[in-house]
Coordinates of all heavy atoms in Angstrom, one line a residue:
M54 N 39.8 -22.8 -269.7 CA 39.2 -23.7 -270.7 C 39.0 -25.1 -270.3 O 39.8 -25.5 -269.6 CB 40.3 -23.6 -272.0 CG 39.5 -23.9 -273.3 SD 40.8 -23.8 -274.6 CE 40.8 -25.5 -275.1
T55 N 38.0 -25.7 -270.9 CA 37.7 -27.0 -270.3 C 38.3 -28.0 -271.4 O 38.3 -27.9 -272.6 CB 36.1 -27.2 -270.4 OG1 35.5 -26.3 -269.6 CG2 35.8 -28.6 -270.0
D56 N 39.1 -29.0 -270.8 CA 39.7 -30.0 -271.6 C 38.7 -31.2 -271.7 O 38.3 -31.7 -270.6 CB 40.9 -30.5 -270.9 CG 42.1 -29.5 -271.2 OD1 42.0 -28.8 -272.2 OD2 43.1 -29.5 -270.3
W57 N 38.3 -31.6 -272.8 CA 37.3 -32.7 -272.9 C 38.0 -34.0 -273.3 O 38.9 -34.0 -274.2 CB 36.2 -32.3 -274.0 CG 35.4 -31.2 -273.6 CD1 35.5 -29.9 -274.0 CD2 34.3 -31.2 -272.7 NE1 34.6 -29.1 -273.4 CE2 33.7 -29.9 -272.6 CE3 33.7 -32.2 -272.0 CZ2 32.7 -29.5 -271.8 CZ3 32.6 -32.0 -271.2 CH2 32.0 -30.7 -271.1
I58 N 37.7 -35.1 -272.7 CA 38.4 -36.4 -272.9 C 37.3 -37.2 -273.6 O 36.2 -37.4 -273.1 CB 38.7 -37.1 -271.6 CG1 39.7 -36.1 -270.9 CG2 39.3 -38.4 -272.0 CD1 39.9 -36.7 -269.5
E59 N 37.5 -37.8 -274.8 CA 36.6 -38.6 -275.4 C 36.6 -39.8 -274.9 O 37.7 -40.5 -274.7 CB 37.1 -38.7 -277.0 CG 36.0 -39.2 -277.8 CD 36.4 -39.1 -279.4 OE1 36.8 -38.1 -279.7 OE2 36.3 -40.2 -280.0
I60 N 35.4 -40.4 -274.5 CA 35.4 -41.7 -273.7 C 34.7 -42.8 -274.5 O 34.3 -43.8 -274.0 CB 34.8 -41.5 -272.3 CG1 33.3 -40.9 -272.4 CG2 35.7 -40.7 -271.5 CD1 32.7 -41.1 -271.1
G61 N 34.2 -42.5 -275.7 CA 33.6 -43.5 -276.4 C 32.2 -43.0 -277.0 O 31.9 -41.7 -277.0
T62 N 31.2 -43.8 -277.5 CA 30.1 -43.4 -278.0 C 28.9 -43.6 -277.0 O 29.0 -44.3 -276.0 CB 29.7 -44.2 -279.3 OG1 29.4 -45.6 -278.9 CG2 30.9 -44.2 -280.3
L63 N 27.8 -42.9 -277.3 CA 26.6 -43.0 -276.4 C 26.2 -44.5 -276.4 O 25.8 -45.0 -275.3 CB 25.3 -42.1 -277.0 CG 24.2 -42.1 -276.2 CD1 24.4 -41.6 -274.8 CD2 23.1 -41.3 -276.9
E64 N 26.4 -45.2 -277.4 CA 25.9 -46.5 -277.5 C 26.7 -47.5 -276.6 O 26.3 -48.6 -276.4 CB 25.9 -47.1 -279.0 CG 24.9 -46.3 -279.9 CD 23.5 -46.2 -279.4 OE1 23.1 -47.4 -278.9 OE2 22.9 -45.2 -279.4
D65 N 27.9 -47.0 -276.3 CA 28.8 -47.8 -275.3 C 28.2 -47.9 -273.9 O 28.6 -48.7 -273.1 CB 30.2 -47.2 -275.2 CG 31.0 -47.3 -276.5 OD1 30.6 -48.2 -277.3 OD2 31.9 -46.6 -276.7
I66 N 27.3 -46.9 -273.6 CA 26.7 -46.9 -272.3 C 25.3 -47.5 -272.3 O 24.4 -47.0 -273.1 CB 26.6 -45.4 -271.8 CG1 27.9 -44.7 -272.0 CG2 26.1 -45.3 -270.4 CD1 27.8 -43.3 -271.7
P67 N 25.0 -48.5 -271.6 CA 23.7 -49.1 -271.6 C 22.7 -48.1 -271.1 O 22.9 -47.3 -270.1 CB 23.8 -50.3 -270.6 CG 25.0 -50.1 -269.8 CD 25.9 -49.2 -270.6
R68 N 21.5 -48.0 -271.7 CA 20.4 -47.2 -271.2 C 20.0 -47.6 -269.9 O 19.9 -48.8 -269.6 CB 19.2 -47.3 -272.2 CG 18.4 -46.0 -272.3 CD 17.4 -46.1 -273.4 NE 17.8 -45.3 -274.5 CZ 17.5 -45.7 -275.8 NH1 16.9 -46.7 -276.1 NH2 17.9 -44.8 -276.8
L69 N 19.7 -46.6 -268.9 CA 19.5 -46.9 -267.6 C 20.7 -47.6 -266.8 O 20.5 -48.2 -265.8 CB 18.2 -47.7 -267.3 CG 16.9 -47.1 -267.9 CD1 15.7 -47.9 -267.7 CD2 16.7 -45.7 -267.2
G70 N 21.8 -47.5 -267.4 CA 23.0 -48.0 -266.8 C 24.1 -47.0 -266.9 O 23.9 -45.9 -267.0
S71 N 25.4 -47.6 -266.8 CA 26.5 -46.8 -266.8 C 27.7 -47.5 -267.3 O 27.6 -48.8 -267.4 CB 26.9 -46.1 -265.4 OG 27.3 -47.2 -264.6
R72 N 28.8 -46.8 -267.5 CA 30.0 -47.4 -267.6 C 31.1 -46.6 -266.8 O 30.9 -45.4 -266.5 CB 30.5 -47.5 -269.1 CG 30.7 -46.3 -269.9 CD 31.2 -46.6 -271.2 NE 32.7 -46.9 -271.1 CZ 33.6 -46.5 -271.9 NH1 33.3 -45.7 -272.9 NH2 34.8 -46.7 -271.7
V73 N 32.1 -47.3 -266.4 CA 33.1 -46.6 -265.5 C 34.3 -46.3 -266.4 O 34.8 -47.1 -267.1 CB 33.5 -47.7 -264.4 CG1 34.7 -47.0 -263.5 CG2 32.4 -48.1 -263.6
V74 N 34.7 -45.0 -266.1 CA 36.0 -44.5 -266.7 C 37.0 -44.2 -265.7 O 36.7 -43.5 -264.7 CB 35.6 -43.1 -267.4 CG1 36.9 -42.5 -268.2 CG2 34.5 -43.3 -268.5
R75 N 38.1 -44.9 -265.9 CA 39.2 -44.8 -264.9 C 40.0 -43.5 -265.2 O 40.4 -43.4 -266.4 CB 40.1 -46.0 -264.8 CG 39.2 -47.2 -264.5 CD 40.0 -48.4 -264.2 NE 39.2 -49.6 -264.2 CZ 38.3 -49.8 -263.2 NH1 38.2 -49.0 -262.2 NH2 37.6 -50.9 -263.4
T76 N 40.2 -42.5 -264.3 CA 40.9 -41.3 -264.6 C 41.7 -41.0 -263.5 O 41.8 -41.7 -262.4 CB 39.8 -40.2 -264.7 OG1 39.4 -39.8 -263.3 CG2 38.6 -40.5 -265.4
T77 N 42.5 -40.0 -263.6 CA 43.5 -39.5 -262.5 C 42.6 -39.0 -261.3 O 43.1 -38.8 -260.2 CB 44.3 -38.4 -263.1 OG1 43.5 -37.4 -263.6 CG2 45.3 -38.9 -264.1
Q78 N 41.3 -38.8 -261.6 CA 40.5 -38.2 -260.4 C 39.8 -39.5 -259.8 O 38.8 -39.2 -258.9 CB 39.4 -37.4 -260.9 CG 39.9 -36.2 -261.7 CD 40.3 -35.0 -260.9 OE1 39.6 -34.7 -260.0 NE2 41.3 -34.3 -261.2
G79 N 40.2 -40.7 -260.1 CA 39.5 -41.8 -259.6 C 38.5 -42.3 -260.6 O 38.4 -41.9 -261.7
D80 N 37.8 -43.4 -260.3 CA 36.7 -43.9 -261.2 C 35.5 -43.0 -261.3 O 35.0 -42.6 -260.2 CB 36.3 -45.3 -260.7 CG 37.4 -46.3 -260.9 OD1 38.4 -46.0 -261.4 OD2 37.2 -47.5 -260.3
I81 N 35.1 -42.8 -262.5 CA 33.9 -41.8 -262.7 C 32.9 -42.7 -263.4 O 33.2 -43.5 -264.4 CB 34.3 -40.7 -263.5 CG1 35.4 -39.8 -262.9 CG2 33.0 -39.9 -264.0 CD1 35.8 -38.6 -263.6
A82 N 31.7 -42.7 -262.9 CA 30.6 -43.5 -263.5 C 29.8 -42.6 -264.5 O 29.4 -41.5 -264.1 CB 29.6 -44.0 -262.4
V83 N 29.8 -42.9 -265.7 CA 29.0 -42.1 -266.7 C 27.6 -42.9 -266.9 O 27.7 -44.0 -267.5 CB 29.8 -42.0 -268.0 CG1 29.1 -41.1 -269.0 CG2 31.1 -41.4 -267.7
F84 N 26.6 -42.1 -266.5 CA 25.3 -42.7 -266.6 C 24.5 -42.3 -267.9 O 24.6 -41.2 -268.4 CB 24.5 -42.3 -265.3 CG 25.0 -42.7 -264.2 CD1 25.9 -41.9 -263.5 CD2 24.7 -44.0 -263.6 CE1 26.5 -42.3 -262.2 CE2 25.2 -44.3 -262.4 CZ 26.2 -43.6 -261.7
R85 N 23.6 -43.2 -268.3 CA 22.7 -42.9 -269.4 C 21.2 -43.0 -269.0 O 20.9 -44.1 -268.5 CB 23.0 -43.7 -270.6 CG 22.2 -43.4 -271.9 CD 22.6 -44.4 -273.0 NE 21.8 -44.3 -274.1 CZ 21.9 -45.2 -275.2 NH1 22.7 -46.1 -275.3 NH2 21.1 -45.1 -276.2
T86 N 20.5 -41.9 -269.2 CA 19.0 -42.2 -268.8 C 18.2 -42.7 -270.0 O 18.6 -42.9 -271.0 CB 18.5 -40.7 -268.4 OG1 18.4 -39.9 -269.7 CG2 19.3 -40.0 -267.5
A87 N 16.9 -42.9 -269.6 CA 16.0 -43.4 -270.7 C 15.9 -42.5 -271.8 O 15.6 -42.9 -272.9 CB 14.6 -43.6 -270.0
E88 N 16.1 -41.2 -271.5 CA 16.0 -40.2 -272.5 C 17.3 -39.8 -273.2 O 17.5 -38.8 -273.9 CB 15.4 -38.7 -272.0 CG 13.9 -38.8 -271.7 CD 13.7 -39.6 -270.4 OE1 14.3 -39.5 -269.5 OE2 12.6 -40.3 -270.5
D89 N 18.3 -40.7 -273.0 CA 19.6 -40.6 -273.6 C 20.3 -39.4 -273.1 O 21.3 -38.8 -273.8 CB 19.6 -40.6 -275.1 CG 19.2 -41.9 -275.7 OD1 19.4 -43.0 -274.9 OD2 18.7 -42.0 -276.8
E90 N 20.0 -38.8 -271.9 CA 20.9 -37.9 -271.3 C 22.0 -38.6 -270.6 O 21.8 -39.7 -270.2 CB 20.0 -37.1 -270.3 CG 18.9 -36.2 -270.9 CD 18.0 -35.7 -269.8 OE1 17.3 -36.4 -269.2 OE2 18.1 -34.4 -269.5
V91 N 23.2 -37.8 -270.5 CA 24.3 -38.5 -269.9 C 24.8 -37.5 -268.8 O 24.9 -36.3 -268.9 CB 25.4 -38.6 -271.0 CG1 26.7 -39.1 -270.4 CG2 25.0 -39.6 -272.1
F92 N 25.2 -38.1 -267.7 CA 25.7 -37.5 -266.5 C 26.8 -38.3 -266.0 O 27.1 -39.5 -266.2 CB 24.6 -37.5 -265.4 CG 23.4 -36.7 -265.7 CD1 22.3 -37.4 -266.3 CD2 23.3 -35.4 -265.6 CE1 21.1 -36.8 -266.6 CE2 22.2 -34.7 -265.9 CZ 21.1 -35.4 -266.4
A93 N 27.9 -37.6 -265.4 CA 28.9 -38.2 -264.8 C 29.1 -37.9 -263.2 O 29.2 -36.8 -263.0 CB 30.2 -37.8 -265.6
L94 N 29.3 -38.9 -262.4 CA 29.6 -38.8 -261.0 C 30.7 -39.6 -260.6 O 31.1 -40.7 -261.2 CB 28.3 -39.2 -260.3 CG 26.9 -38.6 -260.4 CD1 26.0 -39.3 -259.5 CD2 27.0 -37.1 -260.1
N95 N 31.4 -39.2 -259.5 CA 32.4 -40.0 -258.9 C 31.8 -41.4 -258.6 O 30.6 -41.4 -257.9 CB 32.9 -39.2 -257.6 CG 33.9 -40.0 -256.9 OD1 34.6 -40.9 -257.4 ND2 34.1 -39.5 -255.7
D96 N 32.4 -42.4 -258.9 CA 31.8 -43.7 -258.7 C 31.9 -44.2 -257.2 O 32.5 -45.3 -256.9 CB 32.5 -44.8 -259.6 CG 31.7 -46.2 -259.6 OD1 30.5 -46.1 -259.2 OD2 32.3 -47.1 -260.0
S97 N 31.5 -43.4 -256.3 CA 31.6 -43.7 -254.9 C 30.5 -42.9 -254.2 O 30.3 -41.8 -254.2 CB 33.0 -43.1 -254.5 OG 33.0 -43.4 -253.0
C98 N 29.6 -43.8 -253.6 CA 28.5 -43.3 -252.8 C 28.9 -42.4 -251.6 O 29.8 -42.8 -250.8 CB 27.6 -44.4 -252.4 SG 26.2 -43.9 -251.4
P99 N 28.3 -41.2 -251.3 CA 28.7 -40.5 -250.2 C 28.3 -41.1 -248.8 O 28.8 -40.7 -247.8 CB 27.9 -39.1 -250.4 CG 26.8 -39.5 -251.2 CD 27.2 -40.6 -252.1
H100 N 27.6 -42.2 -248.9 CA 27.3 -42.8 -247.7 C 28.5 -43.7 -247.3 O 29.2 -43.3 -246.3 CB 26.0 -43.7 -247.8 CG 25.6 -44.6 -246.6 ND1 25.1 -45.8 -246.8 CD2 25.7 -44.2 -245.3 CE1 24.8 -46.3 -245.5 NE2 25.2 -45.3 -244.6
K101 N 28.8 -44.8 -247.9 CA 29.8 -45.6 -247.5 C 30.7 -46.1 -248.7 O 31.3 -47.1 -248.7 CB 29.4 -46.8 -246.7 CG 28.8 -46.5 -245.3 CD 28.6 -47.7 -244.5 CE 28.1 -47.2 -243.1 NZ 27.8 -48.3 -242.2
G102 N 30.7 -45.3 -249.8 CA 31.5 -45.6 -250.9 C 31.0 -46.6 -251.8 O 31.9 -47.2 -252.6
G103 N 29.8 -46.9 -251.8 CA 29.3 -48.0 -252.8 C 29.4 -47.6 -254.1 O 29.5 -46.5 -254.5
P104 N 29.5 -48.5 -255.1 CA 29.7 -48.4 -256.5 C 28.5 -47.9 -257.3 O 27.7 -48.7 -257.5 CB 30.2 -49.8 -257.0 CG 29.5 -50.8 -256.1 CD 29.3 -50.1 -254.7
L105 N 28.4 -46.6 -257.3 CA 27.1 -46.1 -257.9 C 27.0 -46.6 -259.4 O 25.9 -46.6 -259.9 CB 27.2 -44.5 -257.9 CG 27.2 -43.9 -256.6 CD1 27.5 -42.4 -256.7 CD2 26.0 -44.2 -255.8
S106 N 28.1 -46.9 -260.0 CA 27.9 -47.4 -261.4 C 27.1 -48.7 -261.5 O 26.6 -49.1 -262.5 CB 29.3 -47.6 -262.0 OG 30.0 -48.6 -261.1
Q107 N 27.0 -49.3 -260.4 CA 26.1 -50.5 -260.4 C 24.8 -50.4 -259.9 O 24.1 -51.3 -259.6 CB 26.9 -51.7 -259.5 CG 28.2 -52.1 -260.1 CD 29.0 -53.0 -259.3 OE1 28.5 -53.9 -258.6 NE2 30.3 -52.9 -259.4
G108 N 24.5 -49.2 -259.6 CA 23.1 -48.7 -259.2 C 22.1 -48.7 -260.3 O 22.4 -48.9 -261.5
I109 N 20.8 -48.5 -260.0 CA 19.7 -48.4 -260.9 C 19.5 -47.0 -261.2 O 19.2 -46.2 -260.3 CB 18.5 -49.2 -260.4 CG1 18.9 -50.6 -260.1 CG2 17.2 -49.0 -261.3 CD1 17.8 -51.4 -259.4
V110 N 19.4 -46.7 -262.6 CA 19.0 -45.3 -263.0 C 17.5 -45.2 -263.1 O 16.9 -46.1 -263.7 CB 19.7 -45.0 -264.4 CG1 19.3 -43.6 -264.8 CG2 21.3 -45.0 -264.1
H111 N 16.9 -44.2 -262.6 CA 15.5 -43.9 -262.8 C 15.3 -42.6 -262.8 O 15.7 -41.8 -262.0 CB 14.7 -44.6 -261.6 CG 15.2 -44.4 -260.2 ND1 14.8 -43.4 -259.4 CD2 16.3 -44.9 -259.6 CE1 15.5 -43.3 -258.3 NE2 16.5 -44.2 -258.4
G112 N 14.7 -42.1 -263.9 CA 14.5 -40.6 -264.1 C 16.0 -40.0 -264.2 O 16.7 -40.5 -264.9
K113 N 16.2 -38.9 -263.4 CA 17.5 -38.3 -263.4 C 18.2 -38.6 -262.1 O 18.9 -37.8 -261.6 CB 17.4 -36.8 -263.7 CG 16.9 -36.6 -265.1 CD 17.0 -35.1 -265.4 CE 16.4 -34.8 -266.8 NZ 16.4 -33.3 -267.1
R114 N 17.9 -39.8 -261.5 CA 18.5 -40.3 -260.3 C 19.2 -41.7 -260.4 O 18.7 -42.4 -261.4 CB 17.4 -40.2 -259.2 CG 17.0 -38.8 -258.9 CD 15.8 -38.8 -257.9 NE 15.5 -37.4 -257.5 CZ 14.5 -37.1 -256.8 NH1 13.6 -38.1 -256.2 NH2 14.3 -35.9 -256.4
V115 N 20.0 -41.9 -259.5 CA 20.5 -43.3 -259.4 C 20.4 -43.8 -258.0 O 20.5 -43.0 -257.0 CB 22.0 -43.4 -259.9 CG1 22.9 -42.5 -259.0 CG2 22.4 -44.9 -259.9
T116 N 20.0 -45.0 -257.8 CA 19.9 -45.6 -256.5 C 21.1 -46.5 -256.2 O 21.6 -47.4 -257.0 CB 18.7 -46.6 -256.4 OG1 17.6 -45.7 -256.6 CG2 18.7 -47.2 -255.1
C117 N 21.8 -46.2 -255.1 CA 23.0 -46.9 -254.7 C 22.7 -48.4 -254.4 O 21.7 -48.6 -253.7 CB 23.6 -46.3 -253.5 SG 25.2 -47.2 -253.0
P118 N 23.5 -49.3 -255.0 CA 23.1 -50.7 -254.8 C 23.4 -51.3 -253.5 O 22.8 -52.4 -253.0 CB 24.2 -51.5 -255.8 CG 25.4 -50.5 -255.9 CD 24.7 -49.2 -255.8
L119 N 24.1 -50.5 -252.5 CA 24.4 -51.0 -251.2 C 23.3 -50.8 -250.2 O 22.8 -51.7 -249.6 CB 25.7 -50.5 -250.6 CG 27.0 -51.0 -251.4 CD1 28.2 -50.7 -250.5 CD2 26.9 -52.4 -251.8
H120 N 22.9 -49.5 -250.0 CA 21.9 -49.3 -249.0 C 20.8 -48.4 -249.5 O 20.1 -47.6 -248.7 CB 22.5 -48.6 -247.7 CG 23.8 -49.3 -247.4 ND1 25.1 -48.8 -247.7 CD2 24.0 -50.4 -246.6 CE1 26.0 -49.6 -247.2 NE2 25.4 -50.6 -246.5
N121 N 20.6 -48.3 -250.8 CA 19.5 -47.7 -251.5 C 19.5 -46.1 -251.4 O 18.3 -45.5 -251.4 CB 18.1 -48.3 -251.0 CG 18.0 -49.7 -251.5 OD1 18.6 -50.1 -252.6 ND2 17.4 -50.6 -250.7
W122 N 20.5 -45.5 -251.0 CA 20.6 -44.0 -251.1 C 20.2 -43.6 -252.5 O 20.7 -44.4 -253.5 CB 21.9 -43.4 -250.7 CG 22.1 -43.3 -249.1 CD1 21.5 -44.1 -248.2 CD2 22.9 -42.2 -248.6 NE1 22.0 -43.6 -246.9 CE2 22.7 -42.5 -247.1 CE3 23.6 -41.1 -249.0 CZ2 23.4 -41.7 -246.2 CZ3 24.3 -40.4 -248.2 CH2 24.2 -40.7 -246.7
V123 N 19.5 -42.5 -252.7 CA 19.2 -42.0 -254.0 C 20.0 -40.7 -254.3 O 19.9 -39.8 -253.4 CB 17.8 -41.8 -254.2 CG1 17.4 -41.2 -255.6 CG2 17.0 -43.1 -254.0
L124 N 20.7 -40.6 -255.3 CA 21.4 -39.4 -255.7 C 21.0 -38.7 -256.9 O 20.5 -39.4 -257.9 CB 22.9 -39.7 -255.9 CG 23.6 -40.4 -254.7 CD1 25.2 -40.6 -255.0 CD2 23.6 -39.5 -253.5
E125 N 21.0 -37.4 -257.0 CA 20.7 -36.6 -258.2 C 21.8 -36.8 -259.3 O 23.0 -36.5 -258.9 CB 20.4 -35.2 -257.9 CG 19.2 -34.9 -256.9 CD 17.9 -35.0 -257.6 OE1 17.9 -35.3 -258.9 OE2 17.0 -34.8 -257.0
L126 N 21.5 -37.2 -260.4 CA 22.6 -37.4 -261.4 C 23.1 -35.9 -261.8 O 24.3 -35.8 -262.2 CB 22.1 -38.1 -262.6 CG 21.8 -39.6 -262.4 CD1 21.2 -40.2 -263.6 CD2 23.0 -40.3 -262.0
S127 N 22.3 -35.0 -261.7 CA 22.7 -33.6 -262.2 C 23.7 -32.9 -261.4 O 24.5 -32.2 -261.9 CB 21.5 -32.7 -262.4 OG 20.8 -32.6 -261.0
D128 N 23.7 -33.2 -260.2 CA 24.7 -32.6 -259.2 C 25.3 -33.5 -258.1 O 26.2 -33.1 -257.3 CB 24.2 -31.4 -258.6 CG 23.0 -31.6 -257.8 OD1 22.6 -32.7 -257.4 OD2 22.3 -30.6 -257.3
G129 N 24.9 -34.8 -258.1 CA 25.6 -35.6 -257.1 C 25.0 -35.5 -255.7 O 25.5 -36.2 -254.8
T130 N 24.0 -34.8 -255.5 CA 23.5 -34.6 -254.1 C 22.5 -35.7 -253.7 O 21.8 -36.2 -254.6 CB 22.7 -33.3 -253.9 OG1 21.7 -33.1 -254.8 CG2 23.7 -32.2 -254.0
A131 N 22.6 -36.1 -252.4 CA 21.7 -37.1 -252.0 C 20.3 -36.6 -251.8 O 20.2 -35.5 -251.4 CB 22.2 -37.7 -250.7
V132 N 19.3 -37.4 -252.2 CA 18.0 -37.0 -251.9 C 17.5 -37.2 -250.6 O 17.8 -38.1 -249.9 CB 17.0 -37.8 -252.9 CG1 15.6 -37.6 -252.7 CG2 17.4 -37.7 -254.4
A133 N 16.8 -36.1 -250.0 CA 16.5 -36.2 -248.5 C 15.6 -37.5 -248.3 O 14.8 -37.9 -249.2 CB 15.6 -34.9 -248.3
P134 N 15.7 -38.1 -247.1 CA 16.3 -37.6 -246.0 C 17.7 -37.8 -245.7 O 18.3 -37.3 -244.8 CB 15.5 -38.4 -244.8 CG 15.3 -39.8 -245.5 CD 15.0 -39.4 -246.9
D135 N 18.4 -38.5 -246.8 CA 19.8 -38.6 -246.7 C 20.5 -37.4 -247.1 O 19.9 -36.5 -247.7 CB 20.2 -39.7 -247.6 CG 19.6 -41.1 -247.2 OD1 19.5 -41.3 -246.0 OD2 19.1 -41.8 -248.1
Q136 N 21.7 -37.2 -246.7 CA 22.4 -35.9 -246.8 C 23.9 -36.2 -247.4 O 24.4 -37.3 -247.0 CB 22.6 -35.2 -245.6 CG 21.2 -34.7 -245.0 CD 21.4 -33.8 -243.8 OE1 22.4 -34.0 -243.1 NE2 20.4 -33.1 -243.5
G137 N 24.4 -35.3 -248.2 CA 25.7 -35.5 -248.6 C 25.8 -35.4 -250.1 O 24.6 -35.3 -250.8
H138 N 26.8 -35.5 -250.7 CA 27.0 -35.4 -252.2 C 28.3 -36.0 -252.6 O 29.3 -36.1 -252.0 CB 26.8 -34.1 -252.7 CG 27.8 -33.1 -252.3 ND1 27.7 -32.3 -251.1 CD2 29.0 -32.8 -252.8 CE1 28.8 -31.6 -251.0 NE2 29.6 -31.8 -251.9
T139 N 28.2 -36.5 -253.9 CA 29.5 -36.9 -254.5 C 29.9 -36.1 -255.6 O 29.0 -35.3 -256.2 CB 29.3 -38.5 -254.9 OG1 30.5 -39.0 -255.2 CG2 28.4 -38.6 -256.1
A140 N 31.1 -36.1 -256.0 CA 31.6 -35.2 -257.1 C 30.9 -35.4 -258.4 O 30.6 -36.6 -258.8 CB 33.1 -35.3 -257.3
C141 N 30.6 -34.3 -259.1 CA 29.9 -34.4 -260.4 C 30.8 -33.8 -261.4 O 31.6 -32.8 -261.1 CB 28.6 -33.6 -260.2 SG 27.8 -33.2 -261.6
F142 N 30.9 -34.3 -262.7 CA 31.7 -33.9 -263.8 C 30.9 -33.5 -264.9 O 29.9 -34.2 -265.3 CB 32.8 -35.0 -264.1 CG 33.6 -35.3 -262.9 CD1 33.3 -36.4 -261.9 CD2 34.9 -34.7 -262.7 CE1 34.0 -36.7 -261.0 CE2 35.6 -35.1 -261.6 CZ 35.2 -36.0 -260.7
P143 N 31.4 -32.5 -265.7 CA 30.7 -32.1 -266.9 C 30.9 -33.2 -267.9 O 32.0 -33.8 -268.1 CB 31.5 -30.8 -267.4 CG 32.3 -30.5 -266.2 CD 32.6 -31.6 -265.3
V144 N 29.9 -33.5 -268.7 CA 29.9 -34.5 -269.7 C 28.9 -34.0 -270.8 O 27.9 -33.3 -270.5 CB 29.6 -35.9 -269.2 CG1 28.0 -35.9 -268.7 CG2 29.8 -37.0 -270.2
K145 N 29.3 -34.3 -272.1 CA 28.4 -33.8 -273.1 C 28.4 -34.9 -274.3 O 29.4 -35.7 -274.4 CB 28.9 -32.5 -273.7 CG 30.3 -32.5 -274.3 CD 30.7 -31.0 -274.8 CE 32.0 -31.1 -275.4 NZ 32.5 -29.7 -275.9
V146 N 27.5 -34.8 -275.1 CA 27.4 -35.7 -276.3 C 27.2 -35.0 -277.5 O 26.4 -34.1 -277.6 CB 26.1 -36.7 -276.1 CG1 26.2 -37.8 -277.3 CG2 26.2 -37.5 -274.8
E147 N 28.1 -35.2 -278.4 CA 28.0 -34.5 -279.8 C 28.1 -35.6 -280.8 O 29.1 -36.3 -280.9 CB 29.1 -33.4 -279.9 CG 28.9 -32.2 -279.0 CD 30.1 -31.3 -279.0 OE1 31.2 -31.8 -279.3 OE2 29.9 -30.1 -278.6
D148 N 27.2 -35.6 -281.8 CA 27.3 -36.6 -282.9 C 27.5 -38.0 -282.3 O 28.3 -38.8 -282.8 CB 28.4 -36.1 -283.8 CG 28.0 -34.9 -284.5 OD1 26.9 -34.6 -284.7 OD2 29.0 -34.1 -284.8
G149 N 26.9 -38.3 -281.2 CA 27.0 -39.6 -280.6 C 28.3 -39.9 -279.9 O 28.5 -41.1 -279.3
I150 N 29.2 -39.0 -279.8 CA 30.4 -39.1 -279.1 C 30.3 -38.6 -277.8 O 29.9 -37.4 -277.6 CB 31.6 -38.4 -279.9 CG1 31.7 -39.0 -281.2 CG2 32.9 -38.7 -279.1 CD1 32.1 -40.5 -281.4
V151 N 30.7 -39.3 -276.7 CA 30.6 -38.7 -275.3 C 32.0 -38.2 -275.0 O 33.0 -38.8 -275.1 CB 30.2 -40.0 -274.4 CG1 30.1 -39.4 -272.9 CG2 28.9 -40.6 -274.9
R152 N 31.9 -37.1 -274.3 CA 33.1 -36.3 -273.8 C 33.0 -35.9 -272.4 O 31.9 -35.5 -272.0 CB 33.6 -35.1 -274.7 CG 34.0 -35.5 -276.1 CD 34.5 -34.4 -276.9 NE 35.0 -34.8 -278.2 CZ 34.2 -34.9 -279.3 NH1 32.8 -34.7 -279.2 NH2 34.8 -35.3 -280.5
L153 N 34.0 -36.1 -271.6 CA 34.0 -35.9 -270.2 C 35.2 -34.8 -269.9 O 36.2 -34.9 -270.4 CB 34.4 -37.2 -269.5 CG 34.5 -37.3 -268.0 CD1 33.1 -37.1 -267.3 CD2 35.0 -38.6 -267.6
S154 N 34.8 -34.0 -268.9 CA 35.8 -33.1 -268.4 C 36.1 -33.5 -267.0 O 35.2 -34.0 -266.2 CB 35.3 -31.7 -268.3 OG 36.1 -31.0 -267.6
L155 N 37.4 -33.4 -266.6 CA 37.7 -33.8 -265.2 C 37.7 -32.7 -264.2 O 38.1 -32.7 -263.1 CB 39.1 -34.5 -265.2 CG 39.3 -35.7 -266.0 CD1 40.7 -36.3 -265.8 CD2 38.2 -36.7 -265.5
Q156 N 37.2 -31.5 -264.7 CA 36.9 -30.3 -263.8 C 35.7 -30.6 -263.0 O 34.6 -30.4 -263.6 CB 36.9 -29.0 -264.6 CG 38.3 -28.7 -265.2 CD 38.3 -27.5 -266.1 OE1 37.1 -27.1 -266.4 NE2 39.3 -27.0 -266.5
R157 N 35.8 -30.8 -261.7 CA 34.6 -31.1 -260.8 C 33.6 -29.9 -260.9 O 34.1 -28.7 -260.8 CB 35.0 -31.4 -259.5 CG 35.8 -32.6 -259.4 CD 36.4 -32.8 -257.9 NE 37.1 -33.9 -257.8 CZ 36.9 -34.9 -257.0 NH1 36.0 -34.8 -256.0 NH2 37.6 -36.0 -256.9
Q158 N 32.4 -30.2 -261.0 CA 31.4 -29.1 -261.0 C 31.0 -28.8 -259.5 O 30.8 -27.7 -259.1 CB 30.2 -29.5 -261.7 CG 30.4 -29.3 -263.3 CD 29.1 -29.7 -264.0 OE1 28.6 -30.8 -263.7 NE2 28.8 -29.0 -265.0
H159 N 31.0 -29.9 -258.7 CA 30.7 -29.8 -257.3 C 31.7 -30.7 -256.6 O 31.9 -31.8 -257.1 CB 29.3 -30.3 -257.1 CG 28.2 -29.6 -257.9 ND1 27.7 -28.3 -257.6 CD2 27.8 -29.8 -259.1 CE1 26.9 -28.0 -258.6 NE2 26.8 -28.8 -259.4
T160 N 32.2 -30.2 -255.6 CA 33.2 -31.0 -254.8 C 32.6 -31.5 -253.6 O 31.6 -31.1 -253.1 CB 34.5 -30.2 -254.5 OG1 34.3 -29.1 -253.9 CG2 35.2 -29.9 -255.8
Ligands
FES809 S1 27.1 -47.0 -249.7 FE1 25.6 -46.2 -251.0 S2 23.8 -46.3 -249.7 FE2 25.3 -47.0 -248.5

């Protein structure tokens, strides 16, 4: 069974931005797209650990602020030609409330 942690409201997350949730799994960046979709990734770039939460969201991707790697928000994989991935966590929005699970979808 999935344990969901309530982390606040959708409005707490800036559109095309993110907020960081500190968890026992480390810092998780919760992103909000222009379409109000929400995704959660480990706040650490697979390249050199850059803070993805400070990256720019575009479409369903985020660009790392350090060296411009681009990662898919849906599963944390790096967009070619770069390779690698960061952990991705289930997140859902119900009635404007955002809930996060710490069960990694991809490790
Ligand atoms: S640390 Fe993210 S691109 Fe280098």
